[in-house]
Amino acid sequence: MPKEKSATQRINSLREQILEHNHKYYVLDAPEIPDAEYDRLMLELQSLEKEFPQLVTEDSPTQRVGAEPLKEFVQVKHRVPMLSLGNAFSDDDVQDFHHRVTEHLDADGMEYVVEPKLDGLAISLRYESGILVQAATRGDGATGEDVTHNIRTVKSVPLHLRGKNIPDLLEVRGEVFMPKKGFEQLNARQVKAGEKEFANPRNAAAGSLRQLDSSITASRPLSMYIYGVGEKSDSLEWSTHHEMLSTFKNLGLPVCPEIQKVQGVQELLGYYQNLGEKRNSLPYEIDGVVYKVNDLSFQTRLGFVSRAPRWAIAHKFPAQEELSKVLDIDVQVGRTGALTPVARLEPIFVGGVTVTNATLHNQDELERKDIRIGDTVIIRRAGDVIPQVVSVVLSKRPEKTEKFKLPDKCPVCDSAVIRVEGEAVARCTGGLYCAAQRKEAIKHFASRKAMDIDGLGDKLVDQFFEADLIKTVADLYQLKVDDLLKLERMGEKSVDNLLVAIEKSKKTTLPRFLFSLGIREVGEATALALASHFADLEKIEAADSDTLQKVPDVGPVVAKHIAVFFQQPHNREVVDSLLKAGIAWPAYVRENTGQILDKKTFVLTGTLSSMGRSEAKAKLQALGAKVTGSVSKNTHFVVAGADPGSKVDKAKKLEIRVLDEEEFEQLLKQPDEYL
Ligand code: IVH
């Protein structure tokens, strides 16, 4: 039977791979492939075994979850096995789950408890007469490892239960995890100490618990939430899962605050949706949600299939980590000449988008991760964060690869590349001779927070360069209709719009203009501070480093960058021709020392989408305004972002002007219009 023969071969290969990954994951705490990839191998094996049941063996990884415990730890037998959960990947899977449950129980509706699926590792805690006597990992579900000494260092785990009704025996189960913030701090520490970074918070949590020396565990920021029960005294009785969790809380055990009670399948999906939206702002990693039938007598009736309960299921979020291949490594040159290696990737769908590039940051990062052309890598994209190369799958590295090094000549202008001691970044020394730096300078100049030239995006700037239409930002103001019409995809209407936008940008503010020049280390806040302090461009141009350091928050490094910028004749030329082209800002900045909002009092409420509260406050203060916390008859303006509080009502009562976000931004640009 050739079909069975090839199935046997595939099954053997899958089993071998899965066993190898199990070992790396569970024993070494160093998984090499993303979970989604592991799930796929397992699913393929499961479906082949379903098709060819005669090929199922007792030791197949499908018949056993987890792996053997480490030899050094004392083994713990779980008297009530620690089970796993089945997975749902789609709404249909959830509908099926709900149907199975209701059909089995012959019920119409169903009440569920819904919980985040915490991304850590399952631990059992055994309390005898209220005292923590043992903590164990899940291991293979039947036998785990004794990690009592380490768990005692986890601050959220109580060493004694609280309250009056302490049971003789209570074994609870839950997840130990590392909160995101602690994980970042730990990795920063690891890098500083020259140690390996952890791939994700779950590995970090697992690695921290599997320590023979508990002082190491104690230095790791671990936390725990309880979600289930193992062995217990008969005196403890509950009719629902929810009630049980309440008892846990009363006994002082940590229970996740996101847990809720819902009815029916629509509410299950609603919870999934809501938590998915909240996922990035939660302080810990979750990889899905767990649905559990609330009624415990229903749970008993539903029972188990193989190693998972029929009364619960995990509904997974789309994977945030996937495998891809490095097709090439390009070196990009940024506005300040910084060289950035960028991996060109085989397109991969991860975290909800198709990723084709990932920044490799700098030489140090390249060396640390040793990413080479041809490597298979783990790509991670969480939330709106830019995609990251987490690590290389070394076992998949092709035979002939070379370490990648940044070039010592700029790939664009061939100038020397230097790396200042103590800096992570290598830079092209070509300055405005380098076309890449000029191009980036123009993109920055036109961007929204700078001169805000509507419609002048990256692609158009690239086209200008290809057609040799502009060399510096000043050339933007000399562009002619005929030149632009020659460009691809530029019809009369778009040329017209662009020229109007360029013309409009001439009316600006001093801080915007300063920011748009792209002076190193001069961001929006510094530009604002400079404008407020000097109120006059000529004064800034003439200032030496010492004078510049009188500006709040301008230190010696920033001062030097500013002074050097204005000392360069070609920079002075560009600035002069920009002014000649008609760029101008309201006289108040020059004449009123920038304190146009002097004696005006503002109150901020609600959330602004374009900036944080402290940034908004700084911007107002830079214009001389006072920002206070509560509305009174002395308030002049209330700035209301999204979901404002009662302050707006109070302002209306007192007939104080309330500005929405758009008006507020306009006020920052043209304060005189509001006075
Ligand atoms: S209940 C019998 N609830 O997911 C049910 N597990 O994929 C046993 N997990 O081994 C598990 N959050 O490590 C349950 N709220 C939650 C969970 C959760 C995370 C983990 C746990 C379990 C794995 C199963």
Side-chain angles (χ1 to χ4, degrees), residues 195-413:
E195 309 255 342
K196 226 178 135 215
E197 283 173 87
F198 291 97
N200 53 49
R202 188 197 47 232
N203 301 137
S208 303
L209 269 194
R210 207 168 270 129
Q211 293 286 340
L212 289 166
D213 175 2
S214 64
S215 70
I216 298 180
T217 317
S219 73
R220 304 278 172 84
L222 295 172
S223 200
M224 184 170 189
Y225 281 135
I226 305 299
Y227 50 63
V229 71
E231 252 194 310
K232 63 171 185 65
S233 309
D234 289 341
S235 64
L236 284 171
E237 264 188 324
W238 306 284
S239 54
T240 65
H241 180 75
H242 202 259
E243 212 181 275
M244 177 180 86
L245 295 180
S246 293
T247 306
F248 291 170
K249 268 191 259 182
N250 293 336
L251 289 169
L253 291 161
V255 174
C256 178
E258 302 296 332
I259 294 179
Q260 285 176 24
K261 226 168 13 182
V262 306
Q263 306 282 342
V265 73
Q266 283 319 318
E267 290 189 15
L268 291 181
L269 297 174
Y271 180 76
Y272 176 83
Q273 168 90 19
N274 281 338
L275 213 62
E277 282 161 15
K278 250 177 119 170
R279 183 181 186 186
N280 290 316
S281 57
L282 289 175
Y284 42 79
E285 292 273 2
I286 59 175
D287 59 347
V289 297
V290 183
Y291 308 138
K292 297 174 178 172
V293 168
N294 192 23
D295 188 306
L296 295 180
S297 65
F298 285 170
Q299 288 193 5
T300 311
R301 274 169 61 193
L302 284 158
F304 303 87
V305 253
S306 67
R307 304 213 139 244
R310 264 200 214 93
W311 45 264
I313 198 160
H315 190 182
K316 301 286 277 280
F317 291 135
Q320 293 189 323
E321 285 186 4
E322 286 287 357
L323 287 185
S324 178
K325 203 180 220 160
V326 179
L327 302 175
D328 204 354
I329 299 178
D330 283 350
V331 177
Q332 285 181 348
V333 185
R335 179 163 62 83
T336 59
L339 262 55
T340 308
V342 178
R344 305 289 173 211
L345 302 165
E346 223 166 58
I348 180 70
F349 190 74
V350 56
V353 298
T354 301
V355 172
T356 50
N357 302 312
T359 173
L360 304 175
H361 303 286
N362 53 48
Q363 184 68 41
D364 288 348
E365 172 90 353
L366 261 176
E367 274 168 29
R368 196 163 52 236
K369 295 192 172 156
D370 188 16
I371 297 155
R372 306 182 184 191
I373 297 171
D375 268 341
T376 296
V377 287
I378 298 178
I379 302 298
R380 178 177 175 77
R381 185 185 177 273
D384 296 329
V385 182
I386 53 166
Q388 296 262 341
V389 178
V390 178
S391 59
V392 172
V393 182
L394 280 179
S395 61
K396 292 190 186 237
R397 174 169 280 172
E399 261 176 28
K400 282 203 186 107
T401 58
E402 277 170 36
K403 271 193 191 281
F404 186 86
K405 261 187 79 75
L406 283 178
D408 45 23
K409 290 269 171 62
C410 171
V412 177
C413 74

Side-chain angles (χ1 to χ4, degrees), residues 81-87 114-123 138 173-176 225-228 241 256 259 287-292 304 307-309 311-312 314 316:
M82 284 183 81
L83 298 161
S84 177
L85 288 170
N87 287 327
V114 289
E115 308 178 352
K117 186 168 190 299
L118 304 154
D119 205 3
L121 69 160
I123 292 289
R138 189 176 69 142
R173 277 111 189 243
E175 200 84 349
V176 168
Y225 281 135
I226 305 299
Y227 50 63
H241 180 75
C256 178
I259 294 179
D287 59 347
V289 297
V290 183
Y291 308 138
K292 297 174 178 172
F304 303 87
R307 304 213 139 244
W311 45 264
K316 301 286 277 280

Side-chain angles (χ1 to χ4, degrees), residues 641-658:
D643 302 323
S646 59
K647 288 176 187 166
V648 168
D649 300 333
K650 188 151 181 208
K652 283 188 181 148
K653 230 181 256 164
L654 294 171
E655 294 183 353
I656 293 165
R657 184 155 180 199
V658 178

Side-chain angles (χ1 to χ4, degrees), residues 460-664:
L460 206 50
V461 174
D462 289 343
Q463 270 183 292
F464 288 166
F465 265 75
E466 273 155 37
D468 211 12
L469 279 182
I470 48 177
K471 288 207 162 56
T472 74
V473 291
D475 298 337
L476 282 174
Y477 293 92
Q478 311 303 330
L479 287 170
K480 302 276 173 309
V481 178
D482 289 347
D483 298 330
L484 293 172
L485 277 174
K486 281 184 215 142
L487 297 176
E488 243 175 79
R489 291 188 302 275
M490 288 291 279
E492 266 175 44
K493 184 87 194 124
S494 29
V495 168
D496 207 40
N497 287 344
L498 180 65
L499 289 174
V500 168
I502 291 177
E503 190 58 33
K504 209 173 128 204
S505 74
K506 288 182 182 172
K507 199 174 162 215
T508 185
T509 65
L510 179 56
R512 270 179 180 268
F513 182 70
L514 284 170
F515 173 62
S516 73
L517 294 176
I519 306 166
R520 264 180 71 187
E521 308 276 347
V522 177
E524 272 183 291
T526 308
L528 204 55
L530 285 168
S532 307
H533 185 87
F534 290 101
D536 199 298
L537 179 63
E538 284 95 69
K539 287 196 187 129
I540 302 172
E541 286 178 317
D544 60 17
S545 184
D546 285 345
T547 318
L548 286 162
Q549 283 183 57
K550 299 218 169 76
V551 179
D553 288 336
V554 172
V557 176
V558 183
K560 192 172 154 220
H561 286 313
I562 301 166
V564 168
F565 180 91
F566 286 114
Q567 277 157 18
Q568 308 270 331
H570 61 250
N571 288 337
R572 292 290 272 263
E573 258 168 48
V574 170
V575 170
D576 285 348
S577 41
L578 285 170
L579 297 179
K580 245 187 237 141
I583 288 180
W585 42 88
Y588 71 86
V589 180
R590 286 187 177 163
E591 287 164 8
N592 299 356
T593 64
Q595 305 291 307
I596 188 158
L597 295 179
D598 191 23
K599 301 205 175 63
K600 297 285 178 231
T601 303
F602 284 72
V603 172
L604 302 168
T605 178
T607 315
L608 296 169
S609 64
S610 63
M611 66 187 96
R613 182 94 46 105
S614 53
E615 192 183 344
K617 189 172 169 186
K619 286 188 170 173
L620 284 169
Q621 285 170 338
L623 294 170
K626 213 168 120 193
V627 181
T628 65
S630 57
V631 179
S632 73
K633 61 181 190 333
N634 298 325
T635 307
H636 296 97
F637 293 96
V638 170
V639 177
D643 302 323
S646 59
K647 288 176 187 166
V648 168
D649 300 333
K650 188 151 181 208
K652 283 188 181 148
K653 230 181 256 164
L654 294 171
E655 294 183 353
I656 293 165
R657 184 155 180 199
V658 178
L659 304 176
D660 63 20
E661 181 159 0
E662 204 175 306
E663 289 170 313
F664 174 57

